[in-house]
Amino acid sequence: MNTCERWHTFELVLDGPTSGNPFVDVHFSAVFSSQDSSIQVNGFYDGSGKYKVRFMPEQIGTWTVKTISNVAKLNDFHTSFTCTPALGHNHGPVRVAKDATHFEYADGTPYLPFGTTAYAWVFQSDATQKQTLDSLKNSHFNKIRMTVFPKYYSYNTTEPAQYPFAGHPTHTTGVFDEQSWQVDPQKTGFDFSTFNPSYFQHLEQRIKDLDALGIEADLILFHPYDSWVSPVWEKPWISIIFNILSLDSLALKMSGGL
């Protein structure tokens, strides 16, 4: 039987259709059940015909899984796994303590946030990203505040290597000023209904890198610091990032909940 450590992530991957627009045409979720607990978690399309659903178990023991989809190939798939006790430095997600006076991990271990900010570090060059991780490794920080979306602002006008949506920006200047922000939301050059799996996979890996260092990722889902943001993508953006990070299943620990 499959196993998953408590407060880690169980991931189910199924093959499905690639035609049309799988990001919006296919509805895919799974019901996770154990003893008296049951929760339905939305899945997502991860490209190349792969459909995934993620879940962070908090209850030790056997969990059953049943998928639900509007696509026959993805519907009514059954499996199960055993949630095993947490090991080592796995203390679970950070939460507000019951007395509401401080933060603590799920197992009751106190969490004293000592953070730094590096908004767009995951969109810099590979060398800069590595340097950032090396610097964090040699520091005492246990939290970093960062953006999920690329940033275009003072001292940071380099376009990222990839974008979260299909397409390319129609308006880039390389200079930050008032005019660089004057973009028609309907003419950004992006298809906001088609996501770029590679973009999110890279973000996931960097969050995992932080988790390996014992650092919580304090993610900013929205910000105004770019030249092509549009309200068109707000609803699908929220949906996809929640599904990828399994927030539906209480995976509130951004680093380590993947």
Side-chain angles (χ1 to χ4, degrees):
M1 179 180 287
N2 296 322
T3 61
C4 177
E5 189 175 323
R6 187 183 190 188
W7 299 314
H8 277 188
T9 297
F10 174 82
E11 179 181 83
L12 174 64
V13 183
L14 297 178
D15 292 324
T18 59
S19 59
N21 186 344
F23 298 100
V24 296
D25 297 338
V26 178
H27 303 287
F28 176 58
S29 64
V31 176
F32 294 81
S33 303
S34 178
Q35 299 179 32
D36 59 348
S37 298
S38 183
I39 183 172
Q40 183 170 337
V41 180
N42 291 324
F44 62 97
Y45 181 60
D46 201 38
S48 302
K50 301 297 182 181
Y51 291 80
K52 298 182 178 180
V53 61
R54 292 169 172 167
F55 174 68
M56 185 190 72
E58 297 198 276
Q59 185 169 293
I60 295 173
T62 300
W63 287 83
T64 60
V65 186
K66 175 186 177 182
T67 64
I68 302 172
S69 178
N70 62 339
V71 175
K73 189 176 182 179
L74 299 173
N75 188 52
D76 203 29
F77 177 87
H78 293 256
T79 189
S80 61
F81 68 92
T82 298
C83 176
T84 59
L87 301 174
H89 297 290
N90 175 13
H91 301 293
V94 172
R95 296 169 176 169
V96 176
K98 291 183 179 180
D99 62 8
T101 62
H102 64 282
F103 294 105
E104 66 180 15
Y105 291 100
D107 68 354
T109 301
Y111 173 72
L112 303 176
F114 181 62
T116 185
T117 297
Y119 283 149
W121 75 278
V122 298
F123 311 114
Q124 307 307 311
S125 66
D126 290 341
T128 298
Q129 293 178 51
K130 182 179 183 303
Q131 182 182 27
T132 300
L133 290 170
D134 289 342
S135 296
L136 290 170
K137 181 179 180 179
N138 296 316
S139 74
H140 295 285
F141 292 119
N142 61 10
K143 182 177 82 74
I144 183 171
R145 190 162 172 78
M146 54 188 278
T147 62
V148 174
F149 210 62
K151 180 183 176 186
Y152 186 93
Y153 206 62
S154 299
Y155 310 109
N156 188 30
T157 57
T158 301
E159 293 294 321
Q162 56 182 338
Y163 298 91
F165 308 102
H168 297 279
T170 58
H171 181 80
T172 58
T173 64
V175 177
F176 171 73
D177 55 29
E178 183 178 352
Q179 293 300 316
S180 67
W181 277 14
Q182 305 304 309
V183 182
D184 185 337
Q186 303 301 323
K187 299 179 180 179
T188 60
F190 293 99
D191 175 2
F192 295 108
S193 69
T194 303
F195 297 91
N196 176 12
S198 177
Y199 177 95
F200 293 99
Q201 291 161 6
H202 174 72
L203 175 66
E204 292 173 50
Q205 183 55 55
R206 285 305 181 223
I207 293 176
K208 290 178 181 179
D209 292 338
L210 292 173
D211 182 56
L213 299 177
I215 298 174
E216 302 290 321
D218 180 358
L219 299 180
I220 301 173
L221 298 182
F222 295 100
H223 67 74
Y225 309 121
D226 66 79
S227 61
W228 46 272
V229 67
S230 168
V232 174
W233 52 260
E234 288 188 7
K235 185 175 180 180
W237 171 260
I238 284 290
S239 176
I240 194 69
I241 200 65
F242 268 48
N243 297 344
I244 289 175
L245 297 181
S246 57
L247 298 184
D248 301 69
S249 59
L250 303 181
L252 302 179
K253 183 185 179 187
M254 296 298 192
S255 57
L258 295 177

